[in-house]
Amino acid sequence: MSIITTSNHPKALWPGVAAWWGRTYDEHKTEYTDLFDIESSNQSYEEDVQLTGFGLAPVKAEGASVSYDTESQGFVSRYTHAAIALGFICTYEDIKDNLYPVVGRRRGQANAFSMRQSKEIIHANIYNRAFNASYTFGDGKEILATDHPSTAGTWSNELATPADFSEEALEDLLVMIMTAVNDRGHNINLMAQSLHIHPNGWFEANRVLKSVLQNDTANNALNVLKATNALPGGIKMNHYFTDTDAWFVRTNAPRGMIGYQRDSYPLKQDNDFDTGNAKAKSYDRFSAGCTDPRGLYGSAGA
């Protein structure tokens, strides 16, 4: 590896380029963190193992023995981390001609933008494929399905008849959430948290959830969704959703939509001995998926 000592060598200019990394033209705020609970990891993969709990406690007759139940292992969800990486080169001639500050800044910004875009798209694709039976998770089903298996029978986390976002459709989905049961069929305190929607649905979502009175009616009725704070996490627009009329509601399920951050570095630089070029690269390693599908409910749209 070469160490060049000329005053216009990138070693002297590199701190500036590193500072430019991530300072590109206006882009959307980080959105993937709205879609997943992000946790750290120090392993090559992470696994969540489901435990089914017990059935109902039966009435015990006088003098009779206590009934015993067995907790059993359910499905296993594995999160295998994948890496993304991207680099760029400033040639020796760029450096000698004092072009490094210009091209280094431009390419550093472009590198940051591309890394961000890739990370957002990869996370959003978990939602984009949520209705696709080709992409299954721990229970062998896609995230949003009408026939998730359990020891108490099948259950659903999507509308039986796909519908575009509306007040009525949202209420139907919220009722599904409020009446959810666990894998033994017991009632659970599952609560809606936030609405996730494509930009095409942004205005309608705000009309439905934020109107003082009930939307699209002259009945002067209370907007129950707003009055009861039915979605305390609010409306989250995602610019990387590909289906313009699909919409989703995240819940408070403890192990629902999970993302792991394994490792990353924003920008590293080195020199190439043979060419004298300056090379830079960025790296990110992460995973995202679903452990308990009760963490997400939704509709594919009409």
Side-chain angles (χ1 to χ4, degrees):
M1 183 180 301
S2 62
I3 301 296
I4 303 174
T5 57
T6 55
S7 61
N8 58 351
H9 184 259
K11 287 293 186 182
L13 297 169
W14 184 251
V17 174
W20 291 327
W21 194 91
R23 291 174 55 196
T24 184
Y25 55 81
D26 288 347
E27 54 182 313
H28 302 301
K29 70 176 182 65
T30 300
E31 295 180 350
Y32 73 89
T33 52
D34 291 331
L35 304 180
F36 300 90
D37 295 327
I38 306 298
E39 303 180 5
S40 60
S41 172
N42 58 6
Q43 305 179 101
S44 61
Y45 63 86
E46 298 284 345
E47 282 189 345
D48 280 347
V49 181
Q50 181 200 34
L51 296 175
T52 60
F54 298 145
L56 290 173
V59 175
K60 187 186 83 68
E62 183 178 351
S65 299
V66 172
S67 297
Y68 293 87
D69 200 351
T70 302
E71 186 178 57
S72 60
Q73 178 180 318
F75 59 80
V76 177
S77 298
R78 173 173 288 197
Y79 295 77
T80 302
H81 311 312
I84 60 173
L86 185 67
F88 64 91
I89 295 174
C90 291
T91 68
Y92 181 75
E93 288 71 25
D94 287 337
I95 300 165
K96 295 300 291 183
D97 294 341
N98 287 316
L99 294 175
Y100 181 73
V102 177
V103 297
R105 175 176 182 172
R106 184 178 68 241
R107 292 169 191 172
Q109 291 175 332
N111 179 281
F113 183 79
S114 294
M115 290 289 289
R116 271 282 314 279
Q117 291 284 302
S118 292
K119 192 167 190 176
E120 292 283 1
I121 290 170
I122 290 170
H123 281 84
N125 276 345
I126 303 296
Y127 282 66
N128 293 331
R129 299 164 178 168
F131 304 95
N132 191 332
S134 297
Y135 297 91
T136 59
F137 291 81
D139 66 356
K141 301 296 297 183
E142 62 272 26
I143 295 177
L144 295 176
T146 58
D147 57 349
H148 286 288
S150 77
T151 55
T154 60
W155 62 277
S156 174
N157 61 346
E158 70 167 310
L159 293 178
T161 302
D164 290 340
F165 179 82
S166 67
E167 182 182 41
E168 181 181 5
L170 178 59
E171 288 179 356
D172 288 344
L173 201 68
L174 294 179
V175 170
M176 291 176 63
I177 293 171
M178 291 186 289
T179 57
V181 298
N182 67 9
D183 281 333
R184 283 299 188 104
H186 305 330
N187 293 320
I188 57 176
N189 187 27
L190 197 65
M191 300 177 66
Q193 296 298 306
S194 52
L195 172 68
H196 300 263
I197 200 157
H198 185 277
N200 283 23
W202 173 252
F203 295 104
E204 182 64 16
N206 278 275
R207 278 190 287 267
V208 169
L209 289 170
K210 297 183 179 180
S211 298
V212 176
L213 301 177
Q214 188 176 19
N215 182 53
D216 286 340
T217 178
N219 294 334
N220 201 33
L222 179 71
N223 183 349
V224 178
L225 293 169
K226 179 179 181 180
T228 60
N229 197 24
L231 291 162
I235 307 167
K236 308 292 186 182
M237 183 197 306
N238 192 285
H239 295 85
Y240 306 92
F241 287 169
T242 55
D243 190 336
T244 59
D245 59 356
W247 52 281
F248 311 88
V249 173
R250 286 193 65 189
T251 76
N252 64 339
R255 299 295 296 174
M257 306 302 292
I258 305 295
Y260 284 100
Q261 182 64 55
R262 175 64 181 89
D263 186 24
S264 70
Y265 53 77
L267 203 62
K268 286 187 176 181
Q269 181 258 355
D270 209 338
N271 309 324
D272 181 70
F273 177 82
D274 292 329
T275 64
N277 296 341
K279 302 171 72 174
K281 64 180 181 180
S282 51
Y283 173 91
D284 204 353
R285 189 179 177 201
F286 54 87
S287 61
C290 175
T291 293
D292 185 350
R294 294 174 183 82
L296 189 69
Y297 283 66
S299 171

